[in-house]
Amino acid sequence: MSLTTTPNSDRLHITILGRVNSGKSSLLNTITGQQSAVVSDTAGTTTDVVSKAMELRGIGACLFVDTPGFDDRSILGKQRTEQIHKALERADIAILMCGGDSLTGIPDLSEERTWAARLKEKKIPTVFVVGKTDVRDNTALLVECIKEEFSQTPVCVSADSADSVEHIRLAILEALPEDYRSGSITGDMVRQGDVVLLVMPQDAQAPKGRLILPQVQTIRELLDKKCIVVSCTPDDMQSALSALASPPQLIITDSQVFGRVYEMKPEGSRLTSFSVLFAGYKGDIRYFVKSALAIDSLTPQSRILIAEACTHAPATEDIGREKIPRMLRQRVGQSLEVDIVSGADFPQDLTPYDLVIHCGSCMFNRKHVLGRVERAVSQGVPMTNYGIAIAHLSGILSKIEY
Ligand SMILES: Nc1nc2c(ncn2[C@@H]2O[C@H](COP(=O)(O)OP(=O)(O)O)[C@@H](O)[C@H]2O)c(=O)[nH]1
Ligand SMILES: [Mg+2]
């Protein structure tokens, strides 16, 4: 990924579902104007989830995700369903291709019914689509059946028509959730003209030659909001403050040096951390803060789950694998049990755990993180994230702006 492109985690995820040969991959290719997905009339051509990033006018950065047919018998049933469910965990919008490839006669919507119900249950706005209208004899009937069955008017498309893309675009715009795009990292914490000091350690864990994504995104947003952004490392914080005519309105730092920065903070400046900002941007900050208090009631017999989004090779002083477990054990006792999972391995059943601590999720989209939070909430398991947990363990949670 280059720094000039929108990261996938910030794109609207649009997932295409339907039976084998319903035209899913062709639709993806038509929309993106590229041969991104292999199209063929051999059932089960799409056995893996293929995704394609693009910009859609009026919508912005999107990621289209193609899936294997939900009736695909060429992949093991369980594996297929799992792949589709995984794709849905991050879906902001679904495109449901209806009617399969029976182009004549009375349409069968049995499988579509099942998946439409699942999408509804997952609260994923769904655009119903009828494909292959150039060769289909039963288009009108299929449209009527879909209206009857799902109370929605489907979009009719064919792979060779440029109009199809425009119709799909309008339908996606209409299906967009109310709050889409209201997302902001710094929210109402800053106003135009505010001076914001970023105190960013560039230690052994920092990638060589660049800043990490949350820092880059925060800087960009502050510049867009016409703030004056000043940055320094913790060692130079005093000098940076002296170079300013008045204290900055806001200081943003890394949770790892939060205590140190708090000590140096001028009275008039508010203080927050990148991970706290991203907890709000990517997750449910209120649940995270509330859940961090569960740390206070941990016992030496408690069990913790640490979940990281990345599957990167652990660094020498890894926050999730080493620092947090060490801080917790120092407080609670050495026998505290800590399980670590990464990537897509997030357990369905969280009830064996007294607390879940998730990473900052810079590689996940908001939808994905909120899905995990919802699972924790519904199972009554507290869930927080690295930044909030460290803030609480260092006794500074109450001093942070969020
Ligand atoms: N005539 C026509 N054929 C289509 C259309 N969309 C897909 N097809 C054909 O239907 C077959 C299956 O398409 P594909 O996109 O691979 O379906 P998928 O299995 O749902 O991904 C291929 O032979 C495509 O060329 C369309 O709009 N019109
Ligand atoms: Mg396909």
Side-chain angles (χ1 to χ4, degrees):
M1 185 192 70
S2 103
L3 289 180
T4 54
T5 56
T6 305
N8 282 348
S9 53
D10 272 1
R11 291 177 177 273
L12 181 79
H13 284 47
I14 304 167
T15 305
I16 309 176
L17 305 184
R19 300 182 195 217
V20 166
N21 281 343
S22 56
K24 300 179 297 300
S25 302
S26 303
L27 181 68
L28 175 72
N29 292 345
T30 307
I31 294 172
T32 59
Q34 289 175 16
Q35 297 301 310
S36 316
V38 181
V39 170
S40 94
D41 49 12
T42 313
T45 301
T46 309
T47 50
D48 255 327
V49 169
V50 173
S51 56
K52 179 72 196 159
M54 73 171 300
E55 301 282 323
L56 274 187
R57 195 161 45 86
I59 299 170
C62 302
L63 187 76
F64 282 90
V65 181
D66 191 12
T67 61
F70 44 54
D71 59 338
D72 190 341
R73 308 286 168 231
S74 70
I75 327 173
L76 290 176
K78 187 163 173 280
Q79 199 185 328
R80 174 184 65 234
T81 319
E82 246 167 39
Q83 276 184 27
I84 303 175
H85 277 295
K86 258 189 194 139
L88 289 183
E89 275 176 22
R90 55 202 81 174
D92 294 298
I93 293 205
I95 290 181
L96 181 55
M97 306 281 297
C98 297
D101 64 351
S102 59
L103 305 173
T104 52
I106 295 177
D108 165 21
L109 289 174
S110 52
E111 305 250 2
E112 288 78 357
R113 195 172 299 136
T114 310
W115 284 92
R118 286 185 179 141
L119 292 167
K120 194 167 182 184
E121 189 197 344
K122 289 178 189 286
K123 302 193 189 77
I124 300 172
T126 302
V127 174
F128 291 82
V129 173
V130 170
K132 303 193 188 185
T133 51
D134 55 329
V135 284
R136 193 179 275 287
D137 285 341
N138 61 358
T139 302
L141 184 58
L142 184 50
V143 167
E144 281 317 306
C145 291
I146 291 167
K147 278 191 190 163
E148 172 83 25
E149 179 81 41
F150 307 114
S151 312
Q152 289 228 40
T153 308
V155 182
C156 293
V157 303
S158 70
D160 58 356
S161 140
D163 285 352
S164 296
V165 180
E166 180 59 6
H167 290 142
I168 294 266
R169 185 184 74 86
L170 292 172
I172 293 170
L173 260 177
E174 217 160 279
L176 278 182
E178 281 284 307
D179 60 351
Y180 187 70
R181 287 275 165 264
S182 66
S184 146
I185 300 163
T186 52
D188 52 12
M189 248 179 233
V190 290
R191 284 181 312 197
Q192 183 172 344
D194 279 358
V195 175
V196 183
L197 178 65
L198 308 181
V199 185
M200 305 180 288
Q202 303 300 321
D203 52 18
Q205 288 151 69
K208 198 171 182 314
R210 63 175 175 91
L211 296 176
I212 58 170
L213 190 55
Q215 294 169 348
V216 173
Q217 289 178 284
T218 305
I219 293 171
R220 173 59 198 268
E221 185 183 297
L222 291 169
L223 292 174
D224 284 345
K225 287 184 169 180
K226 305 281 178 219
C227 293
I228 295 137
V229 190
V230 180
S231 43
C232 63
T233 62
D235 290 342
D236 291 323
M237 182 171 160
Q238 291 293 12
S239 319
L241 287 171
S242 320
L244 296 173
S246 54
Q249 273 79 15
L250 180 68
I251 300 174
I252 309 176
T253 192
D254 206 274
S255 37
Q256 300 194 66
V257 291
F258 204 96
R260 235 175 108 196
V261 172
Y262 183 77
E263 292 301 314
M264 292 186 271
K265 177 186 90 71
E267 185 112 19
S269 304
R270 287 169 301 138
L271 178 62
T272 191
S273 74
F274 289 100
S275 43
V276 167
L277 290 180
F278 272 72
Y281 180 52
K282 285 294 175 75
D284 182 339
I285 180 84
R286 294 189 195 281
Y287 193 64
F288 286 170
V289 168
K290 192 173 107 189
S291 296
L293 305 181
I295 291 174
D296 300 337
S297 36
L298 294 177
T299 70
Q301 285 73 46
S302 297
R303 218 172 143 192
I304 306 284
L305 178 70
I306 292 197
E308 357 171 87
C310 308
T311 46
H312 60 66
T316 358
E317 164 63 334
D318 192 88
I319 304 177
R321 289 176 183 266
E322 291 173 36
K323 183 163 180 162
I324 293 178
R326 190 171 59 238
M327 287 175 94
L328 285 169
R329 288 197 173 109
Q330 266 165 13
R331 175 185 289 223
V332 179
Q334 291 305 316
S335 65
L336 182 73
E337 216 180 309
V338 180
D339 292 348
I340 298 171
V341 292
S342 62
D345 303 327
F346 192 68
Q348 284 297 333
D349 181 12
L350 298 170
T351 54
Y353 297 103
D354 300 286
L355 175 64
V356 177
I357 308 180
H358 206 285
C359 74
S361 307
C362 60
M363 299 310 287
F364 279 2
N365 67 356
R366 180 171 165 82
K367 170 80 193 225
H368 200 168
V369 181
L370 288 181
R372 291 184 168 192
V373 172
E374 217 170 282
R375 191 179 302 172
V377 171
S378 70
Q379 297 179 12
V381 178
M383 172 168 163
T384 187
N385 80 355
Y386 287 7
I388 311 280
I390 292 178
H392 186 58
L393 283 162
S394 335
I396 49 176
L397 189 54
S398 55
K399 299 168 179 148
I400 296 179
E401 297 282 330
Y402 61 87

